[in-house]
Amino acid sequence: QIVFSKFKFLNSNFKCVTNYLKVSLIEVMVGLFKENTKIAVDSIRSQALRTSLTVFIIALGITALVGILTVVSALQNTIMNDFASMGANTFSMSQYDLSSEINKNDVDQKVNPIISYPEAKAFQDKYNFPFTSTSLSFTAAAGVEVKYQGEKTDPEISILGVDDNFVPNKGLIVAKGRNFNSFDIDNNNFVCVLGSDFEKGLFKDKNPLDKIISIRGAKFKVIGVLKEKGSTFGNSQDLRVLIPNQLARSIFSAPNINYELNIMANNEALLDEAVDNAIVTMRQVRKLNPVEKNNFGIERSDDLIQTLLSNTETLSIVAWVIGIITVFGSSIALMNIMLVSVTERTREIGIRKSLGAKQKTIAWQFFTETLIIGQLGGIVGIILGISIGFGIAMAIGFTFTIPWMAIIAAFLTTFVVTIFSGLYPALKASKLDPVEALRHE
């Protein structure tokens, strides 16, 4: 028992000594880090011009990377906001689909006939898939002037002929008032729903509900105002007037009007069957035989979003290529600066080594300088990149959000640049012979 108690006493003393050594080692390491950081900061201050130029070179590469990624992120957010609001359970039928619109200048591209009103109406009457609603709409006119009392808008208003299902099927929200109902559509009531810009523009922040506006001499009562939608690829979605289909057809009569059909499935699980049934119904309306290809386009909202987002990946690749090229140049410049610094401070290194500084202490000193310069360049580049990206996004009309992925990528890039550029100069400085270094003039 006495031996056991002595063993416990010795063991506790050994633990105390071990803990003391650990604490002392940590304190030494922290003190060494503070000393090296102070020496590095003093060295950077003494070479302010050289440091500023190096920071600028690094910041240039990071700015290019972060700026483009910020714009790409804003574009992706805009696409999601514009199209995701339609929901994953909607699809549309029109003259062409998105891929055909992109390749419409292709000489081999098949020319589809327009969807005429009789065809659109026939489809709407025949298509009876369960738990779905179909809206029929068309762009009646663009560049129209709208009047209210003594005020009038610029001739940049779009007039859409719609039915009572158009607003929910297109993912729109009525912020004030109400949507069309079946009574309005069936009786061709002279009522309209306005985009959000009319409230601030034509009505000077007054409540537009129940006001009477004039379109091509026809008087319409405002029954609703849509929630702000923003712009889609430069086209404002808030400068639109929605009126019943038949009124739009009578006021804005024009040949070869192209109609669009939007279908919403209340149950997302039935979307595939609803799309297949819609294709069969449209083929019947257009009297296509079994061997003929579809001469109309069909777009699902989920496929449309994925197609548009996939196109932004190319921009991301371009951003990375530009960023890598510029950052590679920055890393070479940073390495060159640090090698020059090692050469200029050879005598200082010799003095420190003769006073007992170890190789790792010298190496850490120069690596710390590289780390500080690299991170300064990264921070400046991130700030400039986000600012430039924000300005471009606002000018184009994209929805801006803080690009966290771009910021993380920039920090990781500057860290890699620091390791790549600082490691060799630091090792070179640490391996200098102190005797030869002291002789250096």
Side-chain angles (χ1 to χ4, degrees):
Q1 189 175 4
I2 294 173
V3 172
F4 181 72
S5 62
K6 287 184 177 180
F7 176 77
K8 288 179 63 179
F9 175 75
L10 291 174
N11 186 43
S12 61
N13 286 341
F14 177 75
K15 287 183 179 179
C16 291
V17 172
T18 303
N19 292 334
Y20 175 76
L21 291 175
K22 287 181 180 180
V23 172
S24 299
L25 182 61
I26 293 173
E27 290 177 350
V28 170
M29 291 179 65
V30 172
L32 185 61
F33 176 78
K34 289 181 178 180
E35 180 186 355
N36 282 332
T37 303
K38 183 178 181 300
I39 294 172
V41 171
D42 292 339
S43 176
I44 290 172
R45 286 177 178 175
S46 64
Q47 300 290 340
L49 179 60
R50 179 190 297 172
T51 302
S52 300
L53 291 175
T54 308
V55 168
F56 174 75
I57 293 172
I58 298 172
L60 191 63
I62 300 299
T63 298
L65 176 63
V66 175
I68 299 177
L69 290 178
T70 300
V71 174
V72 171
S73 176
L75 174 59
Q76 291 174 341
N77 289 329
T78 301
I79 291 173
M80 293 300 295
N81 290 339
D82 287 342
F83 294 99
S85 60
M86 296 170 58
N89 56 339
T90 62
F91 62 96
S92 63
M93 308 191 73
S94 55
Q95 184 180 8
Y96 296 104
D97 58 18
L98 180 64
S99 60
S100 299
E101 287 289 342
I102 294 173
N103 300 317
K104 63 182 178 181
N105 294 325
D106 189 350
V107 293
D108 297 328
Q109 179 68 35
K110 181 181 177 182
V111 179
N112 291 341
I114 64 171
I115 298 180
S116 63
Y117 180 75
E119 289 177 337
K121 192 63 179 173
F123 175 90
Q124 196 175 32
D125 294 338
K126 289 184 177 182
Y127 186 70
N128 54 4
F129 191 81
F131 307 109
T132 60
S133 60
T134 305
S135 72
L136 189 157
S137 62
F138 72 103
T139 300
V144 177
E145 188 178 76
V146 177
K147 299 179 181 179
Y148 168 69
Q149 295 180 352
E151 302 291 335
K152 61 182 180 180
T153 66
D154 293 330
E156 56 182 4
I157 308 302
S158 297
I159 310 298
L160 273 65
V162 302
D163 57 18
D164 51 321
N165 290 325
F166 176 81
V167 169
N169 285 15
K170 292 292 285 186
L172 302 175
I173 299 175
V174 179
K176 292 184 178 180
R178 64 176 179 86
N179 183 28
F180 300 103
N181 54 38
S182 57
F183 183 81
D184 296 324
I185 303 300
D186 294 338
N187 292 276
N188 296 323
N189 290 344
F190 280 79
V191 292
C192 67
V193 175
L194 304 179
S196 62
D197 282 356
F198 284 89
E199 189 169 5
K200 296 180 180 179
L202 187 62
F203 293 95
K204 309 298 183 185
D205 290 326
K206 296 179 182 177
N207 187 1
L209 295 181
D210 298 327
K211 302 294 190 301
I212 305 298
I213 64 172
S214 175
I215 306 174
R216 292 276 179 90
K219 307 295 183 181
F220 288 86
K221 180 181 179 180
V222 179
I223 62 171
V225 179
L226 297 174
K227 183 180 178 181
E228 184 177 358
K229 188 72 173 177
S231 297
T232 302
F233 304 112
N235 297 320
S236 176
Q237 304 296 299
D238 300 320
L239 289 172
R240 301 189 296 180
V241 179
L242 313 183
I243 62 176
N245 266 322
Q246 293 301 328
L247 291 177
R249 281 166 50 82
S250 62
I251 297 173
F252 301 95
S253 58
N256 299 323
I257 296 177
N258 193 18
Y259 289 81
E260 182 176 338
L261 295 157
N262 291 279
I263 300 96
M264 174 182 286
N266 295 333
N267 189 342
E268 188 176 344
L270 300 175
L271 182 60
D272 292 335
E273 290 84 350
V275 171
D276 294 338
N277 192 279
I279 293 174
V280 172
T281 303
M282 182 56 78
R283 289 181 62 87
Q284 292 174 351
V285 168
R286 292 207 155 183
K287 298 180 173 58
L288 298 176
N289 62 54
V291 298
E292 287 183 292
K293 294 183 178 180
N294 295 337
N295 59 358
F296 54 89
I298 186 164
E299 282 290 351
R300 293 173 53 155
S301 57
D302 51 356
D303 289 342
L304 180 60
I305 293 170
Q306 292 303 320
T307 300
L308 293 172
L309 289 179
S310 64
N311 292 330
T312 63
E313 294 179 359
T314 303
L315 296 176
S316 298
I317 294 173
V318 171
W320 278 106
V321 170
I322 295 174
I324 288 172
I325 292 173
T326 52
V327 168
F328 181 73
S330 303
S331 63
I332 294 175
L334 180 57
M335 181 184 292
N336 183 57
I337 291 295
M338 294 310 300
L339 287 173
V340 171
S341 179
V342 170
T343 302
E344 290 179 347
R345 295 161 61 189
T346 302
R347 189 173 181 84
E348 175 193 333
I349 295 171
I351 294 173
R352 292 198 69 194
K353 278 197 166 187
S354 64
L355 293 176
K358 297 181 179 180
Q359 285 190 0
K360 61 181 180 181
T361 305
I362 301 297
W364 182 252
Q365 174 191 337
F366 282 89
F367 188 77
T368 303
E369 290 183 27
T370 311
L371 181 65
I372 293 174
I373 294 174
Q375 293 305 315
L376 282 175
I379 293 172
V380 173
I382 289 171
I383 295 173
L384 290 177
I386 292 178
S387 301
I388 293 173
F390 174 79
I392 295 174
M394 293 298 100
I396 299 176
F398 290 164
T399 304
F400 175 80
T401 56
I402 298 176
W404 293 111
M405 289 302 298
I407 294 174
I408 294 172
F411 272 117
L412 292 177
T413 302
T414 52
F415 185 72
V416 171
V417 167
T418 299
I419 295 176
F420 175 78
S421 303
L423 194 58
Y424 176 68
L427 292 175
K428 182 180 179 181
S430 66
K431 292 180 180 180
L432 286 176
D433 185 0
V435 176
E436 295 296 330
L438 287 171
R439 290 177 181 173
H440 185 80
E441 293 293 339

